[in-house]
Amino acid sequence: MAWENELQDASFRGVLFECISTDDTHSKTLAIHQSPYSDDAEIEDMGNDPRKISIQAVFAGDSYLSDYYKLEAALNERGSGELIHPIFGIMNVQVINHTVRHDEQNYDSCMISIEFIKAKTEKKEVFLDTELTEEIDLESVLTNPTTALDLALEKLKILDNNKFVSTINNIRTSLQNVYKHMGIGKGFIENILSPHTWAVGLIDDITNILSFDTNISAMSKWRDLNNRTKTISSFFDSDDDTPNEVKDLATTLNTVSSIAVTQSVIKNTQREMTENKTNTSSNNTSSDTSNTSNKETSLTAEDLAVVRQQSRNAINELISYERSKINSMEAVAQVKELKTLADQVHLQIQALIDIRPNLTKTTILVPCTVHWLAHYLYEDMSRASEIRRLNPLIRNHSLLENGMEVAVYAR
């Protein structure tokens, strides 16, 4: 896949700009040890230097100067900031310098050459409050395609009543087949003349069938249900006479139902983490240290990352589908809705991943203190108190002996 298919909107500290080229420099720090009067040298690799990024940005048009001033203010701020690289995405960078070029041939534009150096990512809190971000409103993603289908049906009813009746019957049959395919018992489809009502109802019904109280792993059930949502549109494409508005809504239902299943996973994981947090608080106040371990959540951080990636792929496919429509303002609006949806899903799952890493054990290889171990594992000496809390049976935290196993949170 070419990079042009994955381009992102370039920005720095939230200020958008047009990018015409980028240069990314990777170099190493090498220590050269050479004896006098010798042509040979020992080269010691001391690791990689921070990545350097050169970007050519351009502003053009009547308002180019005000847009440039916004970027200039962002570039002149002290400290590191967030850069959205058009190819590599989010980076924490520091500005080295920037050069602005004007020329007489292009009086309503300017070109800015910016040099960044990649900064160390700020440490994230490990123990965050287990509160979800605002719940995603999936109905907003269905508004454009359901409205388009509603208008198409009204027009069809006036121009060709027979085709209108046939289309309605096909939609009803398709919905019944979808419910049967998803394993949902539903005998009669109400409000078939209201696309928005039955589309939202379908999503709600799919959301409610995912349960986590059986011996089957949550990840396996998610995969099975998510795979079934991918074929929803096939039940609506009965023949070549199917209106395009029906196909558009059916394609949207593939993605929205997949995200609805993901929402069920997020809510369940959140509930389990909240219960674990309550249990941990209770155990910490008890003198019995044998019950301090948490019950594992149904999905690990790695599983959540897979769910996030699959959700992103589903949304990207729908964005590509919408962009294939030529000169459609509705498609532009729908792409904007889908970009917002992708960002919301990413933030929700990232919040769950950041709440608490997996609990694991590490073996002490050399005698050390708990502060040295915290620095060695996390480059954060202040997390020594966390290690002490996880290991209440260790009496002398000033001397962790060789071969000792210590409970820690995974990096």
Side-chain angles (χ1 to χ4, degrees):
M1 181 178 291
W3 54 262
E4 65 175 342
N5 299 322
E6 298 290 334
L7 278 178
Q8 303 181 49
D9 295 330
S11 68
F12 180 63
R13 299 189 196 272
V15 180
L16 293 171
F17 57 84
E18 294 294 332
C19 176
I20 59 175
S21 69
T22 67
D23 293 290
D24 296 80
T25 303
H26 302 261
S27 59
K28 284 182 172 292
T29 298
L30 302 176
I32 302 175
H33 307 284
Q34 186 176 10
S35 301
Y37 311 110
S38 172
D39 294 335
D40 298 325
E42 292 183 3
I43 310 296
E44 184 178 0
D45 189 340
M46 306 297 290
N48 297 328
D49 286 342
R51 178 191 295 186
K52 292 184 179 179
I53 304 154
S54 298
I55 286 182
Q56 294 287 332
V58 62
F59 289 114
D62 295 337
S63 62
Y64 91 92
L65 200 55
S66 61
D67 294 333
Y68 162 68
Y69 285 149
K70 295 178 184 177
L71 180 60
E72 183 184 41
L75 293 172
N76 287 332
E77 283 188 34
R78 294 174 63 88
S80 60
E82 182 181 81
L83 168 70
I84 306 297
H85 193 289
I87 297 176
F88 301 118
I90 298 175
M91 294 182 178
N92 190 44
V93 298
Q94 192 89 26
V95 179
I96 300 177
N97 60 64
H98 69 279
T99 304
V100 185
R101 179 181 179 185
H102 290 83
D103 65 73
E104 62 178 354
Q105 300 298 324
N106 300 293
Y107 52 84
D108 59 350
S109 67
C110 69
M111 185 173 294
I112 307 101
S113 301
I114 315 169
E115 288 191 29
F116 298 101
I117 185 168
K118 190 172 181 182
K120 187 174 182 179
T121 304
E122 295 181 1
K123 292 184 176 67
K124 296 182 180 179
E125 274 189 81
V126 180
F127 303 103
L128 306 176
D129 291 335
T130 54
E131 293 182 3
L132 273 178
T133 54
E134 186 176 347
E135 188 171 350
I136 296 175
D137 179 19
L138 293 177
E139 289 190 34
S140 62
V141 185
L142 293 171
T143 299
N144 288 328
T146 54
T147 301
L149 177 57
D150 199 19
L151 294 174
L153 290 176
E154 289 182 4
K155 184 177 180 180
L156 198 60
K157 186 177 182 179
I158 298 173
L159 298 178
D160 190 341
N161 190 63
N162 290 333
K163 186 175 180 181
F164 168 77
V165 173
S166 174
T167 301
I168 292 296
N169 289 332
N170 288 338
I171 292 175
R172 178 180 284 108
T173 302
S174 299
L175 272 175
Q176 291 172 340
N177 291 334
V178 169
Y179 275 107
K180 188 182 299 182
H181 172 68
M182 300 303 298
I184 305 172
K186 195 163 180 107
F188 181 74
I189 308 299
E190 300 176 354
N191 300 314
I192 196 66
L193 294 179
S194 175
H196 188 78
T197 301
W198 60 253
V200 172
L202 174 62
I203 298 303
D204 290 340
D205 292 334
I206 290 176
T207 303
N208 294 331
I209 65 177
L210 188 60
S211 60
F212 300 91
D213 54 356
T214 65
N215 293 327
I216 303 175
S217 72
M219 194 65 181
S220 296
K221 288 194 287 187
W222 172 81
R223 280 200 177 98
D224 173 64
L225 191 55
N226 190 58
N227 287 334
R228 277 187 278 165
T229 62
K230 296 178 181 179
T231 58
I232 287 177
S233 60
S234 63
F235 293 96
F236 289 86
D237 194 8
S238 56
D239 51 51
D240 295 335
D241 205 29
T242 302
N244 291 330
E245 291 79 5
V246 175
K247 296 178 182 179
D248 291 344
L249 177 56
T251 304
T252 303
L253 286 173
N254 281 356
T255 299
V256 176
S257 58
S258 175
I259 302 303
V261 173
T262 299
Q263 289 294 290
S264 293
V265 169
I266 290 173
K267 290 179 181 178
N268 180 70
T269 307
Q270 171 71 14
R271 177 184 58 79
E272 292 175 333
M273 287 184 170
T274 303
E275 291 175 356
N276 284 346
K277 184 177 181 180
T278 303
N279 293 338
T280 300
S281 299
S282 300
N283 289 331
N284 285 342
T285 59
S286 172
S287 58
D288 182 7
T289 58
S290 61
N291 294 324
T292 55
S293 62
N294 284 344
K295 176 185 174 182
E296 291 186 1
T297 55
S298 298
L299 297 181
T300 64
E302 291 78 10
D303 292 335
L304 288 169
V306 171
V307 172
R308 178 174 58 187
Q309 184 60 40
Q310 292 294 325
S311 299
R312 174 172 176 158
N313 291 342
I315 297 173
N316 277 341
E317 289 178 6
L318 185 54
I319 288 176
S320 298
Y321 175 83
E322 293 293 337
R323 283 175 171 168
S324 66
K325 301 175 184 178
I326 302 176
N327 297 328
S328 173
M329 294 302 297
E330 291 79 8
V332 173
Q334 186 69 350
V335 167
K336 184 178 179 180
E337 287 283 351
L338 292 171
K339 285 184 175 182
T340 301
L341 177 63
D343 182 58
Q344 290 174 325
V345 173
H346 169 80
L347 292 176
Q348 278 192 330
I349 296 182
Q350 189 61 46
L352 290 178
I353 293 174
D354 287 343
I355 285 173
R356 181 171 297 174
N358 296 329
L359 192 64
T360 185
K361 288 185 178 292
T362 186
T363 302
I364 303 300
L365 300 179
V366 294
C368 63
T369 66
V370 69
H371 287 84
W372 184 92
L373 180 62
H375 176 75
Y376 173 74
L377 292 176
Y378 312 114
E379 297 184 4
D380 185 0
M381 189 176 65
S382 65
R383 291 181 65 176
S385 58
E386 167 196 313
I387 299 176
R388 284 197 297 265
R389 183 174 56 80
L390 292 175
N391 299 273
L393 298 181
I394 297 179
R395 295 187 177 182
N396 186 2
H397 294 96
S398 298
L399 180 58
L400 303 181
E401 298 179 355
N402 185 26
M404 181 185 295
E405 283 194 341
V406 179
V408 296
Y409 282 108
R411 285 171 286 183

